[in-house]
Amino acid sequence: MTPRTHSGRASDHIRGTNRQRETDSSQSTRRPPKTSVVLPLADRVERLERQHRRLANTVAALARHAGISVGPPCTACGDCHLLFEHGRLRCPACGRVEIP
């Protein structure tokens, strides 16, 4: 009785795996390194934070000039901050009025 041997399928499988690895390694050279993706994202976040800070400062200055204060976000709609004017809080987005 002779032992059964595989008909080369194992070697085909190994070759296919190696071929896949070769394909993966060639594709990884085409992808940009992580650092080239992370740096532009970090730059975008920093730029957005600066823009947010400038807008917040501008809105606060405009509110002071108009004699009103900017309060917390509206609990009803969450779209705007409440404006404190004439002893009451008002949401410019949904019109909700609160008297503290």
Side-chain angles (χ1 to χ4, degrees):
M1 184 188 286
T2 54
R4 279 183 123 172
T5 59
H6 295 299
S7 60
R9 289 185 184 184
S11 62
D12 288 343
H13 173 70
I14 292 169
R15 272 186 260 150
T17 304
N18 288 338
R19 191 175 304 128
Q20 182 64 34
R21 285 185 191 143
E22 289 169 8
T23 304
D24 289 345
S25 65
S26 65
Q27 286 178 354
S28 67
T29 57
R30 290 185 212 147
R31 291 186 206 146
K34 282 187 176 180
T35 53
S36 68
V37 174
V38 173
L39 288 177
L41 183 58
D43 291 343
R44 282 185 61 198
V45 169
E46 186 177 327
R47 188 172 61 244
L48 287 170
E49 286 175 343
R50 276 196 313 267
Q51 183 181 13
H52 179 265
R53 196 170 33 255
R54 280 192 304 265
L55 286 171
N57 289 340
T58 302
V59 168
L62 287 170
R64 273 193 312 273
H65 182 72
I68 58 177
S69 298
V70 179
C74 179
T75 56
C77 70
D79 287 338
C80 286
H81 284 267
L82 298 172
L83 300 176
F84 185 73
E85 181 180 29
H86 305 299
R88 62 187 185 155
L89 291 166
R90 183 180 59 84
C91 176
C94 69
R96 179 174 176 225
V97 177
E98 290 184 21
I99 300 174

